[in-house]
Amino acid sequence: MSTCSTGPDFSSGFPAFISAGDILTDLVRGAAPEGTSGVPGTDSHWRAHPGGAGWNVARAVARLGLPTACAGALGTDNFSDELWNASVAAGLDMRFMQRVERAPLLAIVHQTHPPAYYFIGDNSADLAFDPAKLPEGWRAHAKWAHFGCISLVRQPLGETLATLAADLRAQDVKISFDPNYRNLMAHGYEPILHRMAALADLIKVSDEDLRMLFADRSEPQAIAAMRALNPAATLLVTRGAQAATLYVGDEMFEAAPPRVEVADTVGAGDASIGGLLFSLMSTPQRSWPQHLAFALAAGAAACRRPGAHSPTLDEVVALIAD
């Protein structure tokens, strides 16, 4: 293992927010820089980017200013070292990240427009995550925990996380769930969708998620089907640059995200749910329209820089003010 940073000192307490989900490296194929040959025999090159939806949400909440952990397992290779060091730089509580002697989980993004990808990691490090090895006493401090994306369909990790979510919910920890549809969910995802939705206090879906999860239904029908899985859960539906909708009990709130110059939309959904969670935890006295405005500003701010940018509180507040 390469030398890794140690991270901030959380010895005085445990974080109130934990994101337990996929931590991976995106290997993205792009045009080779001028004057280079790129990959032999092609006109492209590959760049490695630390990522994963669960990790992005943890970074988003931490960057906004709340003590945060990303619970998961990494390997001992160069990709995992980069993820570790990026987690330290994000200010995450590193007691929640485990290291095991297994290969890394990789997302091979061989085409970006439109996105085309596949995953490598049949027996990778992420699958070895063990909640029993987390620091003693952390559950008593947890207020919210977030789950979602491909971690829930990669076994045995999916069962580990679903069980952890149920245990935390039984201990009055609030559960956030973002299906964050990927191609691994094309078959057999319905049982875990129902299971996690039933546990959730907050569910976030994009319009694209709804189209993939409920392919035979219109958007209104898909929203109704999602809400029927847990009528008590708050549901956030995002639609990119178009107006988003927040459903809270019998109430519905709608707002458009701030207009920004878009560098790319990578991680925007993760930033928006991270923004909503931060707003709910840090200023619970806000109205639901204010929570929604903060979430949308966080997602928009993430779009202003390339990659899965985690905006600062100042960036988000400035967009709301504008």
Side-chain angles (χ1 to χ4, degrees), residues 269-292:
D270 300 324
S272 65
I273 185 62
L276 181 55
L277 286 163
F278 172 83
S279 187
L280 290 168
M281 286 184 281
S282 63
T283 48
Q285 71 274 15
R286 282 178 176 157
S287 66
W288 282 109
Q290 288 173 320
H291 288 308
L292 176 59

Side-chain angles (χ1 to χ4, degrees), residues 22-43:
D22 45 316
I23 312 170
L24 54 82
T25 297
D26 290 309
L27 279 179
V28 183
R29 183 181 185 181
E34 186 175 351
T36 66
S37 58
V39 178
T42 75
D43 60 353

Side-chain angles (χ1 to χ4, degrees), residues 4 11 17 31 43 58 165 172 184 188 202 204 218 232 236 253 263 271 299 313:
C4 290
S11 59
F17 176 68
D43 60 353
D172 295 325
L184 289 182
L202 172 64
K204 183 265 177 188
S218 66
L236 172 62
F253 307 95
L313 184 57

